[in-house]
Amino acid sequence: MLFILKLPGKDMRIGIVGAGFIGQAFARLAIAAGHDVMISNSRGPQTLSSIPAKIGAQIGTVHETIGFGDIILIAIPFHQYATLPVEPLRDKIVLDANNYYPDRDGAIPELDERRATTSGLLAQHLTGSRLVKAFNAILASDLEKGGQTLPSGARRALPIAGDDDAAKEIVASLMRKFGFDVVDAGPLAESWRFERAKPAYCLPYDQEGLRQALDEAQRDIDMPEGSWRR
């Protein structure tokens, strides 16, 4: 199938599956940037009655939201990833903002034993989707602010990873439009470098600092739990 590269413009339609803090913060940024947004959760539109008044997004079911969006952000508790519909997401750019928290998600042996990554498991489920790991390595309270200037005078940078270069460029363009610089961490298999408890996870870096943090990540060594919360 031939994909036409479409960089984010005023006519981008973005669907968000997951109406938690990350999903809502992302929605606010996307709407402020001029995009049309629909948001959903697993409990149904009736539980999201306050969302449009607060942020200006449309609400829908998960299937309606996926059908609406050119790009789909997934920001759900990770243990729910296998509930996502596969066929409706085929060929779509999917932003994986999920993180694995064992206390919330329960033990997942493949992740605990470093035999898989969160994005790798999601990619195995969403066969045919154009998956990009993005927007997982920032606190919702920081994402809500949009791009930030750090004490160094540089902009904050966010990491991405994926196997589809065209999809990554679209996602990087969206991040830049939100006010962030971008560091490409490589293919999806390298997304572990900015998963939970790695040096790049949720800490504010400029591009140079983020590249260094990604390089310093070690597969079998984690930061102390919660050390990224300020």
Side-chain angles (χ1 to χ4, degrees):
M1 180 177 293
L2 176 64
F3 295 110
I4 298 174
L5 180 63
K6 180 182 180 184
L7 296 179
K10 292 293 185 181
D11 60 344
M12 184 67 70
R13 292 159 65 96
I14 298 175
I16 300 174
V17 178
F21 294 126
I22 288 290
Q24 291 189 40
F26 183 93
R28 289 186 179 94
L29 290 179
I31 290 168
H35 303 301
D36 294 324
V37 173
M38 181 179 287
I39 192 166
S40 64
N41 67 8
S42 61
R43 294 176 294 162
Q46 70 278 3
T47 66
L48 298 175
S49 59
S50 64
I51 295 291
K54 288 171 26 179
I55 62 175
Q58 300 178 56
I59 60 172
T61 66
V62 169
H63 282 270
E64 288 169 343
T65 297
I66 291 170
F68 172 88
D70 302 311
I71 290 178
I72 308 297
L73 177 82
I74 306 295
I76 60 177
F78 186 69
H79 68 273
Q80 297 178 358
Y81 79 89
T83 67
L84 293 167
V86 176
E87 285 304 316
L89 286 165
R90 189 176 297 277
D91 297 329
K92 296 219 175 198
I93 295 177
V94 174
L95 310 187
D96 172 20
N98 299 303
N99 290 300
Y100 169 51
Y101 281 89
D103 289 347
R104 177 196 64 190
D105 298 312
I108 300 177
E110 300 99 310
L111 299 179
D112 294 336
E113 298 166 11
R114 323 285 184 174
R115 292 186 283 110
T117 65
T118 53
S119 286
L121 291 178
L122 184 59
Q124 289 176 23
H125 175 65
L126 295 181
T127 54
S129 293
R130 304 170 70 191
L131 194 68
V132 179
K133 188 73 170 182
F135 293 102
N136 71 298
I138 184 169
L139 298 174
S141 57
D142 288 342
L143 181 59
E144 180 116 19
K145 301 170 189 173
Q148 301 133 44
T149 301
L150 302 176
S152 65
R155 294 204 306 181
R156 179 167 179 170
L158 296 180
I160 61 173
D163 299 330
D164 184 319
D165 288 339
K168 282 199 290 188
E169 180 51 39
I170 291 173
V171 176
S173 180
L174 187 65
M175 282 184 167
R176 295 185 191 106
K177 195 168 184 180
F178 289 174
F180 297 98
D181 283 339
V182 183
V183 173
D184 187 346
L188 205 60
E190 295 296 306
S191 62
W192 65 267
R193 293 184 179 276
F194 54 98
E195 287 184 329
R196 177 186 59 84
K198 297 305 179 187
Y201 184 67
C202 290
L203 295 176
Y205 292 110
D206 59 16
Q207 284 181 312
E208 181 179 354
L210 181 55
R211 289 191 187 98
Q212 182 175 343
L214 291 167
D215 287 343
E216 290 175 352
Q218 298 182 55
R219 193 72 173 95
D220 297 326
I221 298 178
D222 287 344
M223 298 166 58
E225 191 68 26
S227 60
W228 50 87
R229 298 189 183 278
R230 303 182 305 283

